[in-house]
Amino acid sequence: MTAANPTPFGPRAGIVLTVLGAVLLLGFLLLSGFGEDINRQVGRVPGPAAKGATGFQALHDILARTPGFEVRMLRERGDYATDDLLILTPDRSVTAADLGEIVRQRIEHPTLIILPKWQTERDGLTGTRERRTDAIDFGAGRIGAMLSNVAETRYDRMPGVRRPQNQNDLPSFGPVERPATISGRAITPLVSINRGGALLARVAGSDTYILADPDLANNYGMRDPRNAVAMVAVLEWMGIAAPGRIAFDLTLHYRPGDRNLVKLMFTPPFIAVTIALLAAAALAGWASIARFGPPLRDVRALAFGKAALLDTVAALTRAAGKAGAGGGAYADTMRDWLGQRMRAPGHLHGESLAAWIEAQRPGYAARDQRLRRAGNESELVSAAQGLHDWRQETA
């Protein structure tokens, strides 16, 4: 900060800080509004492609390498009408509306819903290791609420390790730790727990299947060869309409997030209004910078320096209305000063000194009298200027 520039920042620094602040504010708004969507796109890998314990990459790879199977990832919502067996792997953020919309479009096509079970977090920096924190606590019917547009169900967890029991001639699965089961009037068990609900069930009157316990199909469960063999057989049995054709759904993981005010501002059709407002704000800021410039410093009432002191005395004299009354005093001062400069005899004073100066340099007396007769400030200034000019001419 200097006397010439009283602001702590220069113009360039101010512009840079303003632009940087605007960019950061815009980034904050966008992340606030689209953070959930961005997290789905670049965050945790979706279940069918996840290599952690709760992912289904192993099942995908086993099916892809098994002769007679054709496996693909379904990424477009317009492909729901396929005859392929569609495998849905919803997570905790999926709502009943999201799940019900897909099932509604596939009412005549086979669909397998694999429900979530464990709550995990990444173990270390690698994405292939997970650490189980706890079983998901869905509270009062959260799973039932997720399935409410599919079938009326009850979700239960059983303690210990239990052995599944098949209701048909399919290969048996291995033991399951703390199995998750569902039950309900519209649920037809295919694989169940003794004196418990269904691990794998079919929704009555449809080709929709629900796997309540994902440990029969996820990477953790595929460690047991019995689960791998049984799961391949089950999927082959479910997909009779299109044998061997299986599609893993990714749309649930990359679906649009909830609407909010920020999304409304930055998505069509209102994005045009937002751009116009931002442009108007930028133009207003630029105009204010060019118009107002740097702030002005406060002016001192009494400035420093001899010239400032004289200006102050003159201003006070003028304010008191005495500016025109100083002619006689100024004339006496100039007479004595001229006498010293012209080396007048020491005994001469007053009118005798003025007469001596007039005798030496004619024209002085008239200008001296004009000074003494001045009645206002303008006459005084004019007379003083005339005396100054005469002195310059006769020097």
Side-chain angles (χ1 to χ4, degrees):
M1 186 187 312
T2 62
N5 184 19
T7 60
F9 301 103
R12 292 184 180 178
I15 293 174
V16 170
L17 290 176
T18 302
V19 173
L20 182 61
V23 171
L24 291 177
L25 176 61
L26 183 61
F28 172 77
L29 290 175
L30 291 176
L31 288 178
S32 299
F34 295 90
E36 185 178 343
D37 302 72
I38 295 173
N39 184 60
R40 289 196 186 102
Q41 295 292 333
V42 301
R44 190 169 181 175
V45 177
K51 298 181 180 180
T54 58
F56 299 93
Q57 179 70 49
L59 177 62
H60 174 276
D61 293 346
I62 290 173
L63 292 172
R65 296 170 184 172
T66 301
F69 281 92
E70 180 183 343
V71 185
R72 66 188 180 98
M73 297 289 189
L74 192 147
R75 295 178 170 83
E76 302 294 334
R77 293 174 175 269
D79 296 340
Y80 289 148
T82 178
D83 288 333
D84 299 1
L85 170 62
L86 181 63
I87 300 178
L88 305 176
T89 56
D91 55 22
R92 291 170 293 162
S93 65
V94 173
T95 64
D98 297 327
L99 205 57
E101 177 63 20
I102 298 177
V103 173
R104 184 187 63 81
Q105 296 185 45
R106 293 186 54 80
I107 192 66
E108 298 178 356
H109 307 286
T111 305
L112 172 62
I113 303 172
I114 304 179
L115 299 178
K117 176 180 178 181
W118 302 107
Q119 184 172 348
T120 62
E121 61 184 11
R122 180 175 294 184
D123 187 7
L125 299 178
T126 176
T128 60
R129 294 179 60 85
E130 292 179 317
R131 179 172 57 250
R132 189 171 67 190
T133 58
D134 196 2
I136 295 178
D137 181 11
F138 286 92
R142 186 172 176 183
I143 281 285
M146 182 186 293
L147 295 173
S148 60
N149 291 347
V150 178
E152 183 178 351
T153 60
R154 176 182 175 181
Y155 178 79
D156 294 302
R157 296 293 301 274
M158 302 182 68
V161 177
R162 305 297 180 94
R163 183 177 294 276
Q165 296 179 347
N166 290 8
Q167 308 300 319
N168 47 38
D169 296 332
L170 294 173
S172 299
F173 289 90
V176 183
E177 176 187 359
R178 298 174 60 186
T181 63
I182 56 173
S183 58
R185 288 181 299 177
I187 297 300
T188 302
L190 299 177
V191 179
S192 60
I193 296 295
N194 186 27
R195 286 184 285 184
L199 296 171
L200 175 63
R202 182 174 187 172
V203 178
S206 71
D207 286 332
T208 301
Y209 303 87
I210 301 174
L211 180 60
D213 198 308
D215 286 349
L216 299 180
N218 58 24
N219 298 335
Y220 176 77
M222 290 296 101
R223 299 184 308 166
D224 190 333
R226 291 172 292 183
N227 290 341
V229 172
M231 200 67 214
V232 170
V234 167
L235 295 178
E236 187 176 14
W237 175 79
M238 290 179 181
I240 294 178
R245 290 165 51 186
I246 296 177
F248 284 88
D249 173 73
L250 296 180
T251 62
L252 279 177
H253 302 276
Y254 295 140
R255 68 191 186 281
D258 297 330
R259 294 178 63 85
N260 53 56
L261 181 60
V262 176
K263 284 187 178 180
L264 190 66
M265 291 170 55
F266 291 96
T267 53
F270 294 102
I271 189 173
V273 179
T274 303
I275 293 175
L277 291 175
L278 291 176
L283 291 175
W286 180 262
S288 65
I289 292 175
R291 176 181 178 184
F292 298 106
L296 297 177
R297 299 183 63 186
D298 294 335
V299 180
R300 288 179 53 87
L302 298 176
F304 295 114
K306 296 179 180 179
L309 180 60
L310 292 175
D311 291 339
T312 302
V313 172
L316 293 174
T317 304
R318 188 178 295 112
K322 302 295 184 180
Y330 182 72
D332 292 341
T333 301
M334 292 302 298
R335 182 192 60 197
D336 296 340
W337 182 80
L338 286 171
Q340 293 179 0
R341 292 292 301 272
M342 297 172 65
R343 301 183 183 277
H347 65 279
L348 297 177
H349 300 285
E351 293 181 0
S352 59
L353 178 58
W356 184 87
I357 296 173
E358 174 66 21
Q360 299 295 321
R361 295 181 182 177
Y364 167 75
R367 290 169 175 79
D368 179 76
Q369 292 302 316
R370 185 183 175 192
L371 265 175
R372 296 181 187 279
R373 290 195 300 267
N376 53 53
E377 183 178 357
S378 60
E379 292 179 358
L380 177 61
V381 172
S382 177
Q385 184 65 46
L387 180 60
H388 175 75
D389 294 341
W390 171 83
R391 185 172 59 85
Q392 294 291 332
E393 293 171 357
T394 59

